[in-house]
Amino acid sequence: MQVTINGKEEKLFGNPPEVGEQLPKFKLESAESEKVKTADIVGRITLISTVPDIDTPVCSVETRRFNQEADKYPDARFLTISNNTIEQQKDWCAAQGVENLQLLSDESLSFGYAMKLYMPNFGALARTIFIVDQTGKIVYRQIVPEITDEPDYQDALSALEKLAKRIDD
């Protein structure tokens, strides 16, 4: 699969999982230097957004936006994943006042390779949004075609709302 960066084609490590598939096994690191595995995510509706570099303008805007939206979905967990170090992520969260979502580091590239979202030539994750249900099944996938563009927030949040309503009914 390919995406573009400023119009230049960039290959992903492979083909990211499709809607209906289970999350693959991976390990991430939290701000508290704790390992977060796939099994730790399963059990709750989760919106996972991946960004290439939290210290860039578009990634920063995207993460702040999801931080603001998280309050509206008390039954869902919001995660943002980047290849930044946990120190870079902690500094960014402190500077931005981000408290409603969890920023996780994929410095080890476990997530990027497992989800096929790593761009080897660029050295970072693609910009994506995945929503998984409580069983770890992917129910929504958005791979932003141009890395420098923001995702379609409304489309992702509408999918999250539909999933939350199904569970409430």
Side-chain angles (χ1 to χ4, degrees):
M1 176 160 211
Q2 290 186 328
V3 294
T4 59
I5 301 171
N6 295 314
K8 180 182 173 275
E9 287 189 0
E10 189 69 44
K11 283 193 186 305
L12 297 180
F13 177 70
N15 292 315
E18 301 279 347
V19 169
E21 294 181 29
Q22 290 294 122
L23 276 179
K25 293 191 183 322
F26 53 78
K27 289 181 187 161
L28 298 160
E29 198 167 355
S30 73
E32 296 77 31
S33 299
E34 294 172 346
K35 295 287 181 219
V36 177
K37 300 179 295 232
T38 307
D40 300 321
I41 294 171
V42 173
R44 189 169 172 201
I45 296 171
T46 304
L47 183 145
I48 301 169
S49 97
T50 63
V51 298
D53 182 349
I54 196 65
D55 289 319
T56 59
V58 176
C59 298
S60 191
V61 165
E62 178 180 337
T63 304
R64 283 195 316 269
R65 170 74 187 266
F66 282 128
N67 182 63
Q68 292 167 345
E69 297 289 346
D71 274 350
K72 300 173 189 167
Y73 303 91
D75 295 334
R77 172 190 311 129
F78 282 68
L79 303 176
T80 295
I81 300 168
S82 76
N83 299 120
N84 297 87
T85 65
I86 55 175
E87 282 307 313
Q88 289 171 314
Q89 290 182 344
K90 281 199 278 193
D91 291 347
W92 183 88
C93 284
Q96 300 294 327
V98 168
E99 298 172 350
N100 297 331
L101 64 74
Q102 187 175 18
L103 207 50
L104 297 170
S105 175
D106 187 34
E107 193 179 5
S108 69
L109 305 179
S110 170
F111 179 86
Y113 282 124
M115 292 285 287
K116 312 284 192 267
L117 299 175
Y118 183 63
M119 299 177 291
N121 293 334
F122 187 63
L125 296 173
R127 184 178 313 285
T128 68
I129 301 170
F130 286 86
I131 299 174
V132 296
D133 67 11
Q134 308 91 312
T135 69
K137 184 172 83 172
I138 297 167
V139 297
Y140 177 87
R141 175 182 107 152
Q142 180 184 149
I143 298 170
V144 181
E146 168 58 51
I147 297 299
T148 60
D149 290 342
E150 290 180 57
D152 184 339
Y153 301 108
Q154 202 48 56
D155 191 55
L157 293 169
S158 292
L160 181 62
E161 203 158 302
K162 282 181 196 158
L163 180 60
K165 278 186 182 164
R166 261 195 317 228
I167 288 160
D168 288 342
D169 292 344

